[in-house]
Amino acid sequence: MKLMKSKTMYIKANAKINLGFNILGRREDGYHLIDSIYLPLTLHDTIEITLIPNGNDTYVTCDSFVSIPSKYNLAHIAISKAREIFHFEEQFRINIHKSIPMGAGLGGGSSDAAACLQAIFKMLEITPTKKQLKDLALSIGVDVVYFLMLGLPARVDGVGEHLKPIKIKKDYYCLLVKPHEPLSTKDVYDKSDTYEALPIANLDLVSKGLEEGDDELIANNLSNALYVPAKDMLPKLTKIEQELKDYGFKIVSMTGSGSSMFALTDNKKLVKKAENYFDKLGYEVEKCKIHRQDNL
């Protein structure tokens, strides 16, 4: 294969939040059918990828999962699966600097995997078809489809493979407030299966609220089905939710399977003040923005 002159790339892997999350069923293979709105954040991990033409293996290091063997993280799995499809022999050294909290429902691992694939395809001048990309992403993890194939504000359904871009009128700031305890995605999903009924968000109206800049419409139709099991597993999430609302935020919810809670607003001063307030309370706090289609 012809290689690019540059053998090292630095890339960003953005986080996301779920603005509303519905569980519509579960397939026989264990995957849950979902309906959600994914919003990409300016919060991102930074990844350094170096090509090793005559290397014996691909090495992945990360400053947030020292105890997890390299070959069991999604970035390494993604490269291994891509190698099976595209038959490249080159090896890579990958260093992931984590800014996206783990176990937080922000899609950090999936985004890292997708970003590594995008970089390697560029370095090796590989041009996958859309079907190859989707099949590859689904074999790694359902959120990888979103990050690999779109990464824009989108309505996402199926098991995460159906993506429809949406428009956002306002420039939203996002305040992420996370307890120090993480939540396992598998555990939260498994517990969700034990409930007879879970809340259903009206995502048509949430989408309309985003397009029209109507915060009340968004807030009044927002829910996350996984918040029900998550707050039973980690009760302090309810306290954080109430604290965010008491501080003056209208749009407040949990993202993904948690444990991050978030608040959206176009009031920059409110976010700055709240960031200091929740930091003093001892939570993990991140202030960032939502990426709209026109400012990526």
Side-chain angles (χ1 to χ4, degrees), residues 1-226:
M1 286 183 181
K2 181 182 177 182
L3 302 178
M4 297 180 64
K5 291 182 180 179
S6 174
K7 294 184 179 181
T8 299
M9 288 184 66
Y10 295 87
I11 54 176
K12 295 179 180 179
N14 294 82
K16 59 82 184 165
I17 58 170
N18 299 88
L19 190 65
F21 195 95
N22 296 329
I23 296 178
L24 305 180
R26 182 175 180 174
R27 301 194 318 193
E28 291 184 0
D29 60 6
Y31 280 113
H32 288 77
L33 299 171
I34 68 166
D35 185 14
S36 182
I37 293 172
Y38 282 39
L39 301 180
L41 303 178
T42 55
L43 174 66
H44 64 272
D45 292 340
T46 302
I47 305 175
E48 177 187 7
I49 301 183
T50 301
L51 176 66
I52 310 174
N54 300 313
N56 296 319
D57 202 353
T58 286
Y59 301 93
V60 180
T61 58
C62 176
D63 51 21
S64 282
F65 55 79
V66 176
S67 62
I68 300 177
S70 167
K71 292 185 179 181
Y72 292 95
N73 67 69
L74 283 184
H76 197 286
I77 290 170
I79 295 167
S80 296
K81 288 183 177 292
R83 190 186 306 280
E84 293 174 4
I85 297 171
F86 300 104
H87 309 294
F88 53 85
E89 297 180 358
E90 293 81 4
Q91 304 289 349
F92 301 88
R93 183 172 63 249
I94 299 171
N95 181 46
I96 304 174
H97 174 67
K98 293 293 293 182
S99 296
I100 304 171
M102 297 181 69
L106 296 166
S110 297
S111 186
D112 293 341
C116 287
L117 288 175
Q118 289 168 337
I120 286 171
F121 291 154
K122 186 173 183 180
M123 294 174 82
L124 301 183
E125 298 184 353
I126 296 172
T127 307
T129 65
K130 287 185 178 180
K131 185 178 186 307
Q132 285 176 321
L133 281 179
K134 182 174 286 190
D135 289 346
L136 173 60
L138 278 173
S139 73
I140 303 163
V142 292
D143 277 352
V144 180
V145 181
Y146 168 74
F147 287 111
L148 185 60
M149 301 194 68
L150 188 63
L152 302 171
R155 183 82 171 262
V156 180
D157 62 17
V159 296
E161 81 277 27
H162 300 145
L163 313 172
K164 182 180 178 181
I166 61 174
K167 295 182 179 180
I168 303 177
K169 183 176 182 179
K170 287 185 177 180
D171 283 319
Y172 282 109
Y173 292 89
C174 179
L175 184 71
L176 297 166
V177 180
K178 179 187 176 298
H180 290 284
E181 301 89 340
L183 283 173
S184 160
T185 298
K186 182 181 184 303
D187 290 347
V188 175
Y189 267 105
D190 286 348
K191 189 170 180 61
S192 75
D193 291 333
T194 68
Y195 294 85
E196 290 186 5
L198 294 168
I200 298 290
N202 190 329
L203 296 184
D204 290 335
L205 291 181
V206 173
S207 295
K208 183 179 180 183
L210 287 171
E211 188 170 350
E212 297 178 356
D214 188 335
D215 289 359
E216 292 283 353
L217 189 61
I218 296 170
N220 291 337
N221 292 280
L222 189 60
S223 65
N224 181 342
L226 293 177

